[in-house]
Amino acid sequence: MKNILVTGGAGFIGSHVVRLFVNNYPNYNIINLDVLTYAGNLANLKDIEHKPNYTFVKADICDYQNMVKIFSEFSIDAVIHLAAESHVDRSIKDPFSFAKTNIMGTLSLLEAAKQQWDGNFTGKLFYHVSTDEVYGTLGDDGLFTETTPYDPHSPYSASKASSDHFVRAFQDTYGLPTVISNCSNNYGSYQFPEKLIPLFIHNISSNKPLPVYGKGENIRDWLFVEDHARAIDTIFHKGKRGDTYNIGGFNEWRNIDVIKVLIRTVDRLLGRKKGQSLDLITYVNDRPGHDYRYAIDSSKLKDELGWEPSLQFQEGIEKTVQWYLNNEAWVLNITSGSYQQYYKDMYGK
Ligand code: NAD
Ligand code: TYD
């Protein structure tokens, strides 16, 4: 029996990782540790919450003493660390909370793991889930590889870059067995509707303006979240200790083209006239420090560990739009309350 601590398991990607591990590995105990910020939602895990190999613990990764206690109480063998503040726009308004959670929180977990394992590292692993945004921005050519130098531009990516450095420092200094993956933009069910794809699906279906930053020409490499969860599973089991793997879909899109696909799909599924929602597109001031292009070369992961994305973007978007339209109650539940204030502060209405 292995005891695996998944941090941030009530969030978007974390909930998909928890679901996959709980369902696929009945011989693992999955301990989901999450403090339940605005982005954490236990409703994301309703389907597996009563499984015998699943436990939820509400705790803050920054609380080092409590992390030490939890590592010992559950006899943790491995960590999959996803807990983070994850939204670039929020990091521009409040960089402190990003430094606290993403840097100090990661450090607190690393120290707790080091203390618990006490030099007996056989069968132990600290898996840190990171982002391609640590590499900065690309021009029109080239792809991020695992050896691209770090060059973060937003407080979010700077805090994630720093946490990656701490993870490597613990591997090199104390021999803590670690692995890091850096993934491109994810989309799919259970994503908080402050991020582009769920926000725009929600706004299109409720006839609200679509705030496109700048000219909408920035490029992102989109990956279906369940493919990311599968990649994490592969790297967790087969990844080389001390190594880094890039995860991406070889699926680059300009924002404005993604938005047009969303409009076409939502309008069709709601039985509206073709192109009816194009008028909702509203160009607004650009995000400060807005990275122009992200694109991941994930061939190392394919060549060494055999992982490949399973879904084409059109198919993934169709599934995703259908999910949000069928789960209006989930969206309404989490977009009430303090999110309304955030939306007003961010977009003025
Ligand atoms: P999310 O914001 O949806 O979820 C984050 C989760 O962490 C929430 O459940 C929240 O409650 C929890 N959390 C935050 N602070 C915490 C704390 N102090 N203690 C305990 N729990 C805390 O984020 P996400 O999009 O699911 O991203 C998960 C991870 O994947 C992050 O580390 C992020 O940097 C990384 N990542 C995300 C993407 C993406 O496209 N969303 C891409 C690549 C990498
Ligand atoms: P986002 O989902 O915030 O992810 P990230 O910034 O981590 O890539 O944004 C994706 C792209 O969409 C990014 O180029 C910013 C743009 N964007 C908008 O144009 N309008 C919006 O309201 C949001 C949230 C994002």
Side-chain angles (χ1 to χ4, degrees):
M1 193 61 135
K2 267 199 158 193
N3 299 317
I4 301 175
L5 184 75
V6 180
T7 70
F12 166 49
I13 302 170
S15 62
H16 286 280
V17 170
V18 166
R19 177 175 297 102
L20 184 151
F21 273 76
V22 165
N23 285 334
N24 289 7
Y25 302 103
N27 57 330
Y28 293 171
N29 281 319
I30 304 301
I31 297 103
N32 172 14
L33 185 154
D34 199 301
V35 77
L36 300 179
T37 65
Y38 76 95
N41 188 355
L42 289 177
N44 299 0
L45 290 164
K46 276 245 158 301
D47 53 324
I48 56 104
E49 67 186 3
H50 297 300
K51 296 259 176 154
N53 62 337
Y54 172 74
T55 310
F56 173 69
V57 178
K58 184 170 189 296
D60 186 342
I61 56 167
C62 301
D63 182 349
Y64 168 64
Q65 296 304 341
N66 198 24
M67 290 308 105
V68 170
K69 216 174 108 221
I70 289 166
F71 268 78
S72 156
E73 189 180 329
F74 290 95
S75 206
I76 296 300
D77 297 302
V79 181
I80 306 177
H81 174 38
L82 298 110
E85 289 294 339
S86 68
H87 189 38
V88 173
D89 292 325
R90 286 186 191 255
S91 81
I92 294 168
K93 287 188 186 301
D94 176 19
F96 277 116
S97 59
F98 282 68
K100 181 165 177 267
T101 298
N102 298 358
I103 305 174
M104 294 307 289
T106 301
L107 184 53
S108 142
L109 285 169
L110 286 164
E111 269 293 322
K114 174 169 137 263
Q115 176 153 337
Q116 170 71 16
W117 299 338
D118 194 24
N120 301 315
F121 294 139
T122 312
K124 306 292 190 270
L125 178 64
F126 191 104
Y127 182 163
H128 179 59
V129 175
S130 193
T131 167
D132 62 352
E133 304 192 23
V134 298
Y135 299 123
T137 186
L138 291 162
D140 285 316
D141 300 317
L143 301 169
F144 296 134
T145 70
E146 288 80 359
T147 55
T148 301
Y150 276 31
D151 182 23
H153 297 128
S154 72
Y156 164 65
S157 52
S159 67
K160 290 296 291 188
S162 177
S163 66
D164 293 9
H165 292 319
F166 269 107
V167 173
R168 291 197 180 96
F170 268 64
Q171 168 86 45
D172 295 344
T173 308
Y174 308 110
L176 195 86
T178 64
V179 70
I180 300 177
S181 57
N182 297 84
C183 188
S184 61
N185 285 62
N186 284 212
Y187 69 97
S189 55
Y190 300 112
Q191 185 168 31
F192 196 88
E194 63 187 353
K195 306 273 168 62
L196 180 79
I197 289 186
L199 173 68
F200 277 36
I201 294 171
H202 179 59
N203 284 12
I204 298 164
S205 71
S206 39
N207 278 310
K208 281 172 71 173
L210 306 175
V212 182
Y213 298 161
K215 295 187 179 141
E217 285 171 353
N218 302 64
I219 295 168
R220 297 291 181 264
D221 176 355
W222 293 97
L223 181 70
F224 191 56
V225 64
E226 293 174 35
D227 278 331
H228 187 188
R230 277 197 312 107
I232 290 174
D233 180 4
T234 302
I235 294 166
F236 180 82
H237 288 102
K238 300 205 276 185
K240 207 166 115 218
R241 301 318 180 228
D243 218 340
T244 295
Y245 297 88
N246 278 353
I247 311 172
F250 288 108
N251 178 44
E252 292 180 49
W253 288 75
R254 289 193 313 163
N255 289 342
I256 193 66
D257 297 326
V258 172
I259 292 161
K260 287 180 180 160
V261 172
L262 293 173
I263 290 174
R264 262 202 310 278
T265 312
V266 175
D267 280 351
R268 175 170 49 75
L269 290 173
L270 290 180
R272 294 176 177 170
K273 224 171 63 219
K274 203 168 164 196
Q276 180 180 317
S277 302
L278 284 168
D279 288 348
L280 297 174
I281 291 176
T282 309
Y283 292 94
V284 299
N285 286 344
D286 209 352
R287 171 189 280 172
H290 196 173
D291 287 332
Y292 168 60
R293 174 171 167 256
Y294 301 144
I296 275 273
D297 179 351
S298 56
S299 48
K300 174 177 169 181
L301 181 56
K302 180 176 177 219
D303 296 345
E304 292 186 10
L305 308 184
W307 173 91
E308 274 184 283
S310 70
L311 268 196
Q312 293 296 315
F313 190 57
Q314 299 285 355
E315 198 187 331
I317 283 291
E318 183 84 15
K319 275 178 114 163
T320 301
V321 171
Q322 256 162 0
W323 188 87
Y324 284 94
L325 296 181
N326 291 340
N327 288 277
E328 277 277 296
W330 180 89
V331 177
L332 290 176
N333 189 29
I334 59 173
T335 51
S336 59
S338 61
Y339 181 67
Q340 305 269 6
Q341 191 56 46
Y342 165 80
Y343 200 85
K344 231 181 254 160
D345 293 347
M346 184 69 209
Y347 299 107
K349 293 198 192 81

